[in-house]
Amino acid sequence: METPVVKIDNLVKRYNDKLAVDHFSLSIREGEILGLLGPNGSGKTTTINCLLSILKYDKGTIEIFGQKMAPDRTDLKQEIGVVMQNVAVVDALTVYENVDFFCGLYIRDKARRKDLVRQAIEMTGLTEYVKYRPSKLSGGLLRRLNIACGIAHKPKLIIFDEPTVAVDPQSRNAILDGIRKLNEEGATIIYTSHYMEEVEDLCSRIVIMDKGRNVASGTAAELKASLRNRETITVEMRDSTEQLIDGIRQINHVYDVKKSGEKLIIRCDGGSRNLIHILNYLMENKVDFGRVNSTLPTLNDVFLEITGKELKD
Ligand code: ADP
Ligand code: MG
């Protein structure tokens, strides 16, 4: 079998009494964009810091490229790029000099480094800003610089820890496109976020994290397929009688009907024409209704079903 790029087994990390990572296991194959999705405080950053041997942990094993990771494994660290949640660049250096500095920690050859720095600057869309100092950059550009510094040496494994938090839409798109490009060029990616749409868009596989545990994993489609819910139809309605609600419950694929204010929330467990069946039923029974809308399940529904709480977006 192919050696996983990352293999975490039963990782446990406590901060004093606080259990931050709870018997967490994860295996990542080459070429994946693995999304680590979890709310704030679920243990994503702690897991990443353990993975990098920046933080001591209480239990578990961590292998990278099939070898045991440890603080002195500079050979393994060479092949890892890290883009931390908190921007870490040198204020006294320009954009160009920053990327060159961080790349220079790994790449000695000057000509090769020049080429790599140029590529990183282009990929992150910083070409116009090479002469700027970090203090002159907007939040989004600063995040892009942070990324350019972390990836310029073309590592095989790249870890992004919430790279799009508080970033403007233009920079966000530049960042996500850049990550896709790095992956196409062969890098394996770990991407942590609490934004479900982003993770769903970007990642080839998703691990949902809650209270330090790996609570579910799979592709977005697989995770949603595990839900009973396939479609939720909301109908605005002033007066809905119990009789009407019972009638709707009898419609094929409807498994739950709830009244919520002046709305009926109708959950369906399959079927492709639920909306038509429900509308037909309402019209046949001459029910007066307002707006109607249909939504498909999201990763929030998956999170809700597993943990009983919302994954706020
Ligand atoms: P995430 O990155 O998913 O937001 P973290 O890994 O930062 O989560 O935090 C996981 C848990 O550990 C949280 O409850 C957090 O408050 C706690 N924690 C994180 N860092 C420390 C620390 N240095 N000391 C004590 N508790 C910490
Ligand atoms: Mg974090």
Side-chain angles (χ1 to χ4, degrees):
M1 221 184 78
E2 178 194 351
T3 311
V5 172
V6 171
K7 197 165 183 304
I8 302 175
D9 277 306
N10 273 309
L11 181 67
V12 176
K13 169 65 190 176
R14 283 192 189 81
Y15 296 107
N16 302 316
D17 288 346
K18 168 86 202 169
L19 185 58
V21 180
D22 183 5
H23 296 87
F24 182 89
S25 298
L26 168 67
S27 177
I28 305 175
R29 290 183 300 272
E30 192 176 340
E32 283 194 288
I33 304 185
L34 189 282
L36 204 51
L37 176 67
N40 285 328
S42 55
K44 302 181 297 293
T45 300
T46 303
T47 302
I48 298 302
N49 287 341
C50 293
L51 178 68
L52 293 167
S53 276
I54 293 170
L55 201 58
K56 279 193 184 155
Y57 42 94
D58 300 280
K59 226 178 102 178
T61 56
I62 296 175
E63 285 181 10
I64 296 184
F65 310 121
Q67 301 189 48
K68 193 175 178 334
M69 183 60 174
D72 61 355
R73 290 304 299 265
T74 45
D75 55 335
L76 299 179
K77 289 181 185 176
Q78 287 265 345
E79 303 290 350
I80 307 174
V82 191
V83 179
M84 291 289 195
Q85 199 168 354
N86 299 320
V87 174
V89 296
V90 184
D91 288 330
L93 301 179
T94 64
V95 163
Y96 186 93
E97 290 163 348
N98 262 289
V99 183
D100 186 58
F101 171 77
F102 285 100
C103 188
L105 299 176
Y106 306 91
I107 309 290
R108 291 288 148 79
D109 183 84
K110 270 195 185 153
R112 173 156 159 72
R113 190 161 83 226
K114 197 171 167 193
D115 189 40
L116 289 172
V117 169
R118 185 189 51 78
Q119 285 183 47
I121 284 171
E122 266 173 26
M123 168 171 299
T124 48
L126 287 168
T127 312
E128 294 169 53
Y129 306 98
V130 285
K131 295 211 168 86
Y132 284 48
R133 285 188 204 284
S135 61
K136 291 277 182 289
L137 300 177
S138 69
L141 290 171
L142 202 55
R143 287 304 193 98
R144 279 146 74 172
L145 173 59
N146 198 40
I147 292 171
C149 292
I151 57 106
H153 61 292
K154 289 214 187 287
K156 285 195 214 152
L157 169 65
I158 312 178
I159 301 167
F160 292 90
D161 194 5
E162 308 232 28
T164 58
V165 171
V167 160
D168 58 281
Q170 193 194 349
S171 281
R172 171 181 294 225
N173 289 335
I175 289 169
L176 296 174
D177 286 344
I179 294 173
R180 285 190 191 96
K181 186 140 186 278
L182 290 163
N183 178 248
E184 278 160 20
E185 288 176 357
T188 301
I189 311 279
I190 301 178
Y191 185 87
T192 90
S193 179
H194 62 276
Y195 298 131
M196 59 178 181
E197 281 94 354
E198 245 178 38
V199 167
E200 181 163 357
D201 254 21
L202 180 72
C203 301
S204 54
R205 196 158 60 89
I206 300 164
V207 167
I208 298 182
M209 201 165 180
D210 184 49
K211 294 184 183 150
R213 289 176 298 134
N214 176 339
V215 294
S217 71
T219 62
E222 285 165 354
L223 288 166
K224 290 180 195 174
S226 69
L227 293 174
R228 181 174 189 195
N229 183 264
R230 289 289 190 279
E231 183 178 10
T232 302
I233 292 170
T234 310
V235 185
E236 279 182 5
M237 203 182 296
R238 282 262 161 77
D239 326 288
S240 47
T241 61
E242 276 308 311
Q243 196 191 352
L244 175 74
I245 291 176
D246 275 343
I248 295 173
R249 278 203 188 101
Q250 304 306 316
I251 297 172
N252 203 10
H253 291 300
V254 171
Y255 69 90
D256 184 44
V257 185
K258 249 195 226 107
K259 213 170 154 165
S260 164
E262 296 195 340
K263 281 182 192 154
L264 274 190
I265 299 175
I266 304 164
R267 294 179 198 279
C268 307
D269 60 9
S272 55
R273 295 159 69 82
N274 298 316
L275 191 55
I276 292 175
H277 292 145
I278 289 166
L279 289 178
N280 279 343
Y281 183 85
L282 295 175
M283 293 200 285
E284 275 166 18
N285 288 278
K286 304 206 166 28
V287 178
D288 193 20
F289 61 90
R291 277 182 301 183
V292 176
N293 102 61
S294 153
T295 52
L296 299 175
T298 63
L299 291 176
N300 186 53
D301 296 309
V302 177
F303 193 78
L304 185 64
E305 196 166 288
I306 296 170
T307 68
K309 60 189 183 203
E310 306 268 336
L311 174 72
K312 284 274 157 27
D313 207 17

